[in-house]
Each structure stands twice: as C-alpha cells, then as structure tokens.
Amino acid sequence: MYPAHGVGQIIGVETQEVAGFSLELFVVSFIKDKMILKVPTSKVSNVGMRKLAETQVVEKALGTLSGRARIKRTMWSRRAQEYEAKINSGDLVTIAEVVRDLYRSDTQPEQSYSERQLYEAALDRMAREVAAVRKLIDSEALKLIESFLQKGPRRGAKADAEADVAEADDVVDEEDVDRAA
C-alpha cells in the first residue's frame, strides 16, 4: 500500500547506480493506473509504504462507513484540503471517514464536481484495499462498501420528509386510539 497511489504489487527488487551510489529499489506495479514506481528500500517507512491492512482494520473501516457523517462547518476549500490529506495518508479508517462524509444517497442533493472527485478518489482507494484484503474483485468491494454506507443514519431532505410523515402517522394513530377508548 503506497499512500499517494493505493494498492500496488511489488514485482521485484533491483539495484541501480544513482550518483555513484548503489541503491536497492522496490519495483511496485499499479496495474489499474498502468504505472511502475521504484522506491528505495531504505525509504519505505519514510514515504509511508506499508503492507495491506489487517482484517480487523478493514472491519473497523467498514464499520466507520455506517456511522454518522461528521462534516465540519468550514469553507469547502479548507475541507477539501483536509479530505485530500486524509485520502493521501494511506490510513484505511481515515479514508473510510472521507467516503462516509462525502457519501450522498439517491435522495440527497447532487454533489459538486470537486466533491464528487474527492469522493470517487477515496472510494476507489478504499475499494482496492478492501478487495485485496478480502480477495474480492473491485465491483464486489464497491457493493460491500455501498451496503455499509446504506446502513448508516438516513440523511437528506427525503429522509427528513419520510420521518415527518411517520411522525404524523403516529399522531393519527394516537387520536384513533383515543377515539376508540
């Protein structure tokens, strides 16, 4: 797992001569991005490269998705920078927070372009790691994530309207009970 690019596969270790020094490099392939990255083995921890998340971490991240969105009341540009930093942190639970916070159900107003871009980047990053850890294909991982998002508290104007209708039904039911008594 490389923080800025997501899940990759180490396809080899090679030695290269750079400025008179011999460097040992991990060769990391990101198949979906059609990219090869070479990372000095001595700098692996400095750049934040890590093994795939443990199963418990994946479960915690999926659990985070069904929580209540915590959206700060700051300017969008500042929140966007924070979301970008969280996505590039490489921490699966933090990425799950971004997915949860930016998720919009069908009943909610549409996202802005930049909001949608950040959401899709976080969702893609999370889905790739969940797929790799759980040995799923990407589309199955996306369905799993979507199912956890839908378990979360209902949000949006339509959900509020449905709650109001349910409350009105309760009032009517109580009146019916009073009349019957």
Side-chain angles (χ1 to χ4, degrees):
M1 176 70 188
Y2 191 85
H5 302 294
V7 177
Q9 181 179 7
I10 296 176
I11 57 173
V13 179
E14 63 182 44
T15 306
Q16 240 178 10
E17 189 79 23
V18 178
F21 293 100
S22 181
L23 278 179
E24 188 176 48
L25 305 165
F26 281 123
V27 181
V28 185
S29 171
F30 298 91
I31 295 167
K32 192 169 183 179
D33 297 329
K34 297 179 181 144
M35 180 176 74
I36 302 277
L37 183 67
K38 294 182 180 182
V39 181
T41 55
S42 60
K43 299 285 184 187
V44 165
S45 60
N46 291 358
V47 298
M49 202 166 123
R50 63 172 173 80
K51 292 182 177 181
L52 286 174
E54 299 289 322
T55 308
Q56 303 92 319
V57 175
V58 171
E59 295 308 316
K60 184 177 179 186
L62 289 170
T64 299
L65 295 174
S66 56
R68 180 168 293 284
R70 293 187 182 95
I71 301 170
K72 293 181 182 175
R73 298 281 178 218
T74 58
M75 291 177 56
W76 167 247
S77 59
R78 183 149 320 212
R79 276 189 318 195
Q81 287 176 336
E82 289 175 11
Y83 288 144
E84 189 76 39
K86 285 182 173 186
I87 292 168
N88 289 330
S89 72
D91 178 40
L92 190 60
V93 176
T94 307
I95 294 169
E97 290 171 4
V98 174
V99 172
R100 175 199 66 205
D101 292 351
L102 293 178
Y103 171 71
R104 297 279 179 95
S105 68
D106 295 336
T107 61
Q108 292 176 299
E110 211 166 297
Q111 295 170 314
S112 69
Y113 178 77
S114 58
E115 206 175 359
R116 194 169 50 253
Q117 292 297 103
L118 283 170
Y119 172 73
E120 288 173 359
L123 183 63
D124 182 58
R125 190 78 48 91
M126 183 177 182
R128 285 193 206 177
E129 189 157 6
V130 169
V133 171
R134 288 202 163 185
K135 296 176 178 40
L136 303 169
I137 59 174
D138 285 352
S139 61
E140 290 172 335
L142 285 169
K143 285 179 186 171
L144 177 68
I145 290 169
E146 181 79 20
S147 73
F148 274 89
L149 286 167
Q150 290 174 350
K151 288 180 190 174
R154 294 184 349 181
R155 295 176 270 178
K158 192 171 185 181
D160 292 342
E162 288 171 5
D164 292 343
V165 168
E167 286 175 18
D169 288 346
D170 291 344
V171 170
V172 170
D173 291 344
E174 289 171 13
E175 291 171 1
D176 290 343
V177 169
D178 290 341
R179 267 189 252 126

